[in-house]
Amino acid sequence: MSAAPHALVVTASNRAAAGVYADTGGPLITEALTALGFAVDGPRVVPDGDPVAEALAVAVADGYDVVVTTGGTGLSPTDRTPE
């Protein structure tokens, strides 16, 4: 029997990272991936911009099979979420 694929969920949100409100999308994605048989870490909630890039770089270095991102949807001068 092979091991379950390992996934990471990353939520990009300045306000959720600051505790202004709870991340709701990340937990839904985590639940869905778990139901599909993935071993899931996260969601890791990070502010927009460089912290997202850093979380993705760590995920690659750690060898995750799948990385799913959510958030970073606001169009504002502070939105610097990488594509």
Side-chain angles (χ1 to χ4, degrees):
M1 189 161 138
S2 63
H6 202 190
L8 173 65
V9 177
V10 177
T11 298
S13 172
N14 288 332
R15 289 179 285 177
V20 173
Y21 57 71
D23 170 29
T24 57
L28 291 174
I29 295 168
T30 298
E31 182 180 317
L33 288 170
T34 300
L36 291 170
F38 286 85
V40 184
D41 290 336
R44 292 190 186 155
V45 182
V46 296
D48 294 345
D50 293 339
V52 177
E54 292 164 11
L56 297 176
V58 169
V60 169
D62 288 349
Y64 282 93
D65 297 302
V66 174
V67 179
V68 178
T69 62
T70 186
T73 59
L75 294 176
S76 71
T78 62
D79 184 15
R80 300 180 314 115
T81 302
E83 294 294 326

